[in-house]
Amino acid sequence: MRKISLFVLATLTFIACTKQPCLENECLYTKSQTSFCFWSPLAEQMELRVYDDALTADFRAYALKKGNNDFWQTTVKGNLDGKYYTIRSCQNGKWEEEAPGIFAKAVSVNGTRAAILDFAATNPEGWSDDKRPQMTDPTDIVVYETHLRDFTMSPNSGISNRGKFLALTEQGTTTPDGLATGIDHLKELGITHLQILPMFDYGSIDETTLVRGNYNWGYDPVNYNVPEGGYSTDPYNPATRIIEAKKMIQALHKAGIRVIMDVVYNHTYNVAGCALGRVVPQYFYRLNADGTYANGSGCGNETASDKQMMRQFMVESVCYWAREYHVDGFRFDLMGIHDQETMRQIRAALDKIDNTILTYGEGWAAMAPAYPYDSLAMKQWTYKMPRVGAFSDDIRNALIGSPFDHERGFASGNTASRQALCFGLAGGINYHDNEFGEGWSGEPMQHVSYITCHDNYCLRDRIEVSAPEETEETRLRMNKLAQTAVFVSQGMTFIYGGEELYRTKRGIDNSYQSPDSINTIPWENKLKYNDLYEYYRQMIQIRREHRGFRLGNAELVNKHLDFLPTQTESLIAFRLKDLEGIDTAKSIVVLLNGSNESVNANFPMGEYVVLAHDGKADVNGLTTLSGMQIVVSPYSATILVQK
Ligand code: CA
């Protein structure tokens, strides 16, 4: 084992100093020939198999020849459009099982064989004119996270291609009450980015039995560079999923919405069945001292971004999605398993394509990774990875409590988390000599402000388990207050899809394979809880209208944001001041009351427009106020702007 590791290290040092062929070019098709190229440093022999179709056992075998930098190559004459391939490697005299290449871009049903396609034929009409919607600053964005099935499976969605990529291409869909659903709903709500749960080819859904309607989040990657077949209308046709994923992105772009992919490079579905595990045994993973697979993901293995070719694989993969599919951002699952240098290199590579492509992730791991903590992309080191963001469990836990217990947070009456909430409201930076704690984000855009996502309880359920004795009316007040704090924070804002429709997962806090009946967004609630929906919609408009909430850099936050003294711990008051030239308002006052009693709040004397008060919000103003104090209702937010 030790011997192999040293050999790999020596090989890689050599590679790093030479011009490196791309992993992405493993299969280059033309009408007259297809060339193949695969990296495998320790193989003694490599074989390419070409199949006429996805299921036949017969193949033509080609011996691959070792060329420069441990890439094995061959060229096959003739038009291979529509054919399939696998490779296998022989190491220490033992042939591994066949697998698609690690950079397969098209695959058969369930991803067992790579497909050879003319990619030019996978572009929908108008694809060359597809443009990323305008974006100025990362703190301007409002991310909406959803799973394709959650968002579109309900019969009340009025959508035809339910659960498919094409569901998000349908215009004019409505609930039975005539309220907008689908892509029109997203436009109406005013979000800027749609973050989609894994849409690359994953392993937990059998694509040959889709009629059963099985559900999974999809955090189990098989082929990283191919869309998932379960979301296509025909997983047996390798081109269909590619065309339909592109059509979805094109439609979202036309609607002014950017698309963020949830990427899961931190582990593979399994080791024995995945190309990464078969083509270069062990290399792409971290191993424990005893030779077993390390398990920072909690899913049985963890990849090794610190190794040159895993790093290159990740860099090339995100760039491939950004170029070929026009993806606008990447959310890195368990980013804390990756090393910081890889994240910096990903950022640099994406900047060469378009520096508005977003990068952020979970700055933690499920278990301790087998790599030095100080070098990992953990939340604590976010400031060392410029323009890479991390989810803020600080603001989340401060507002609604930690997912590891049922305690309340500030929005449900627990003032103990007041300081952590202020830290999050300021965007996780070094604010005023670290008044609320040492900053971990270098800039506010690196602080993803959120309270809920697909993990753990959705907001309604979270508030129910931590405040079961309260009435629904009170819990709705807490809900609005918690989400308001996210929208007025200086970080990058993120909401979990369906919160605006008061979704419930009936107390299930890990719904990764729960049926649609648990996970589907209840479109019927758009009418039933229209007051809540309208509040969310207005809060998004208020954020987007006022640049004061998104000053965009740490220096401006330190200069313009002041926390005001309050008479009680359960009130947080802050003021965004001297906004001339930045905002249409001269100043903004935000008052957050996390108690069940009305609280008197003071602020500088002035003429104000009241944008939010007592559970209502209106970007154009609810009323006006002249003076220096107001009574803030129980569990609610008041927002005032001075014109
Ligand atoms: Ca799949």
Side-chain angles (χ1 to χ4, degrees):
M1 191 57 58
R2 178 172 291 270
K3 221 173 184 175
I4 289 169
S5 302
L6 286 172
F7 182 75
V8 171
L9 193 70
T11 310
L12 293 176
T13 309
F14 171 70
I15 287 171
C17 304
T18 57
K19 175 126 179 66
Q20 187 66 46
C22 293
L23 293 164
E24 186 188 344
N25 293 338
E26 76 169 41
C27 171
L28 292 178
Y29 163 87
T30 67
K31 282 191 167 56
S32 58
Q33 63 178 42
T34 300
S35 57
F36 296 90
C37 176
F38 308 92
W39 183 75
S40 195
L42 301 181
E44 290 133 14
Q45 300 177 67
M46 293 275 285
E47 179 187 78
L48 170 75
R49 293 175 168 185
V50 175
Y51 295 87
D52 283 338
D53 65 53
L55 299 172
T56 181
D58 299 330
F59 57 86
R60 273 161 291 141
Y62 301 86
L64 289 157
K65 239 176 102 179
K66 193 170 185 173
N68 293 336
N69 300 333
D70 298 316
F71 277 81
W72 296 70
Q73 299 164 340
T74 193
T75 297
V76 178
K77 299 282 182 204
N79 188 346
L80 300 193
D81 188 11
K83 308 235 185 282
Y84 296 82
Y85 70 89
T86 61
I87 52 167
R88 49 179 208 144
S89 67
C90 178
Q91 200 169 305
N92 297 327
K94 176 179 168 259
W95 283 96
E96 298 293 328
E97 286 191 63
E98 64 185 325
I102 65 170
F103 220 109
K105 295 175 191 159
V107 292
S108 61
V109 68
N110 282 333
T112 50
R113 290 178 186 171
I116 304 165
L117 287 186
D118 178 1
F119 256 75
T122 65
N123 293 339
E125 203 185 326
W127 187 240
S128 59
D129 299 324
D130 179 59
K131 296 242 171 351
R132 303 179 196 282
Q134 185 66 29
M135 188 188 109
T136 308
D137 190 279
T139 50
D140 293 352
I141 78 171
V142 179
V143 179
Y144 183 99
E145 180 196 39
T146 200
H147 182 282
L148 280 168
R149 285 184 84 91
D150 290 28
F151 194 66
T152 65
M153 277 310 286
S154 164
N156 289 331
S157 68
I159 288 168
S160 307
N161 292 288
R162 294 187 295 139
K164 305 293 181 188
F165 291 123
L166 291 182
L168 283 170
T169 64
E170 296 180 32
Q171 316 282 328
T173 57
T174 66
T175 67
D177 310 299
L179 302 175
T181 63
I183 201 166
D184 288 352
H185 171 80
L186 297 176
K187 276 164 76 174
E188 182 186 274
L189 184 59
I191 57 106
T192 64
H193 285 63
L194 184 68
Q195 178 188 307
I196 301 173
L197 264 77
M199 54 180 259
F200 52 76
D201 177 35
Y202 59 79
S204 52
I205 295 291
D206 181 352
E207 296 172 11
T208 67
T209 60
L210 293 176
V211 285
R212 292 183 199 155
N214 292 340
Y215 180 100
N216 204 287
W217 281 345
Y219 291 91
D220 36 63
V222 176
N223 292 291
Y224 282 98
N225 300 299
V226 186
E228 161 59 20
Y231 299 135
S232 84
T233 57
D234 182 6
Y236 292 90
N237 182 336
T240 304
R241 61 180 78 187
I242 298 169
I243 296 166
E244 292 178 350
K246 287 178 176 176
K247 280 185 174 172
M248 175 188 75
I249 292 167
Q250 184 182 38
L252 285 159
H253 282 176
K254 275 189 184 151
I257 296 165
R258 289 188 170 214
V259 179
I260 296 171
M261 244 183 110
D262 192 336
V263 287
V264 189
Y265 298 110
N266 66 75
H267 75 281
T268 55
Y269 183 38
N270 52 33
V271 174
C274 283
L276 284 181
R278 286 183 178 178
V279 177
V280 191
Q282 297 191 332
Y283 173 81
F284 291 101
Y285 302 89
R286 294 193 187 121
L287 302 177
N288 294 316
D290 63 2
T292 56
Y293 285 91
N295 188 23
S297 67
C299 298
N301 62 79
E302 74 184 62
T303 55
S305 62
D306 46 294
K307 293 189 193 168
Q308 178 67 25
M309 293 308 271
M310 183 64 206
R311 179 177 291 164
Q312 183 177 331
F313 177 74
M314 289 170 63
V315 170
E316 286 191 42
S317 180
V318 292
C319 290
Y320 172 69
W321 284 102
R323 283 202 194 97
E324 181 68 31
Y325 288 86
H326 305 179
V327 166
D328 308 292
F330 299 91
R331 174 265 186 203
F332 292 83
D333 186 64
L334 300 183
M335 186 171 71
I337 288 177
H338 306 318
D339 67 301
Q340 293 158 20
E341 179 56 22
T342 296
M343 298 312 300
R344 284 190 288 264
Q345 290 197 18
I346 284 173
R347 187 62 265 172
L350 288 173
D351 281 344
K352 286 184 189 155
I353 298 170
D354 184 330
N355 65 8
T356 65
I357 294 173
L358 288 173
T359 44
Y360 57 90
E362 294 181 301
W364 49 72
M367 299 203 265
Y371 198 69
Y373 181 84
D374 289 358
S375 299
L376 291 171
M378 292 290 183
K379 183 188 79 171
Q380 185 183 348
W381 313 121
T382 302
Y383 68 93
K384 295 185 182 180
M385 300 174 282
R387 295 174 44 248
V388 176
F391 283 92
S392 173
D393 51 351
D394 307 68
I395 195 167
R396 177 195 72 193
N397 295 353
L399 280 163
I400 58 169
S402 156
F404 305 112
D405 58 42
H406 287 177
E407 294 296 309
R408 294 187 184 203
F410 183 88
S412 41
N414 180 2
T415 57
S417 55
R418 179 189 165 87
Q419 181 148 329
L421 176 52
C422 293
F423 175 84
L425 288 167
I429 56 166
N430 284 333
Y431 173 77
H432 288 195
D433 300 324
N434 296 338
E435 185 178 343
F436 304 117
E438 195 178 342
W440 48 258
S441 74
E443 296 292 349
M445 68 77 60
Q446 293 181 280
H447 179 274
V448 181
S449 302
Y450 83 116
I451 39 175
T452 50
C453 65
H454 64 275
D455 278 321
N456 310 315
Y457 291 114
C458 60
L459 185 54
R460 174 176 174 172
D461 293 356
R462 170 70 208 189
I463 293 174
E464 273 179 23
V465 299
S466 55
E469 65 278 29
E470 305 287 358
T471 63
E472 184 173 71
E473 190 199 338
T474 300
R475 292 200 298 261
L476 279 162
R477 296 180 76 87
M478 294 169 170
N479 182 310
K480 289 177 182 172
L481 173 61
Q483 209 69 258
T484 303
V486 169
F487 288 127
V488 298
S489 76
Q490 291 293 332
M492 196 169 83
T493 55
F494 172 105
I495 66 167
Y496 180 39
E499 301 294 25
E500 79 284 13
L501 301 177
Y502 206 44
R503 78 181 296 173
T504 172
K505 295 203 264 191
R506 297 187 216 159
I508 294 171
D509 65 351
N510 184 6
S511 65
Y512 77 101
Q513 58 176 5
S514 298
D516 289 328
S517 57
I518 296 296
N519 281 304
T520 303
I521 289 175
W523 288 103
E524 59 277 14
N525 280 8
K526 193 162 177 180
L527 183 65
K528 190 175 177 192
Y529 293 99
N530 196 256
D531 172 73
L532 183 84
Y533 171 69
E534 192 55 27
Y535 185 87
Y536 274 55
R537 195 173 80 81
Q538 290 295 335
M539 280 310 308
I540 291 170
Q541 310 312 314
I542 289 169
R543 178 177 181 83
R544 293 188 67 180
E545 181 75 19
H546 290 284
R547 184 153 285 283
F549 294 121
R550 37 195 179 82
L551 291 165
N553 76 58
E555 196 186 327
L556 289 175
V557 174
N558 270 296
K559 187 172 162 195
H560 295 282
L561 171 64
D562 274 347
F563 284 84
L564 304 174
T566 59
Q567 292 163 9
T568 161
E569 285 285 288
S570 60
L571 182 72
I572 288 176
F574 68 82
R575 182 165 177 259
L576 295 153
K577 63 179 184 187
D578 305 331
L579 297 177
E580 290 90 347
I582 295 174
D583 199 313
T584 52
K586 279 187 211 146
S587 72
I588 302 173
V589 172
V590 176
L591 309 162
L592 306 171
N593 179 7
S595 79
N596 61 0
E597 290 175 355
S598 294
V599 173
N600 200 36
N602 299 306
F603 41 83
M605 184 77 163
E607 304 288 323
Y608 293 94
V609 177
V610 182
L611 300 187
H613 185 65
D614 193 22
K616 299 277 178 213
D618 187 339
V619 65
N620 297 313
L622 296 163
T623 181
T624 55
L625 178 149
S626 176
M628 54 184 289
Q629 57 176 258
I630 194 168
V631 175
V632 186
S633 309
Y635 298 121
S636 76
T638 295
I639 301 173
L640 313 167
V641 295
Q642 192 177 25
K643 295 285 184 179

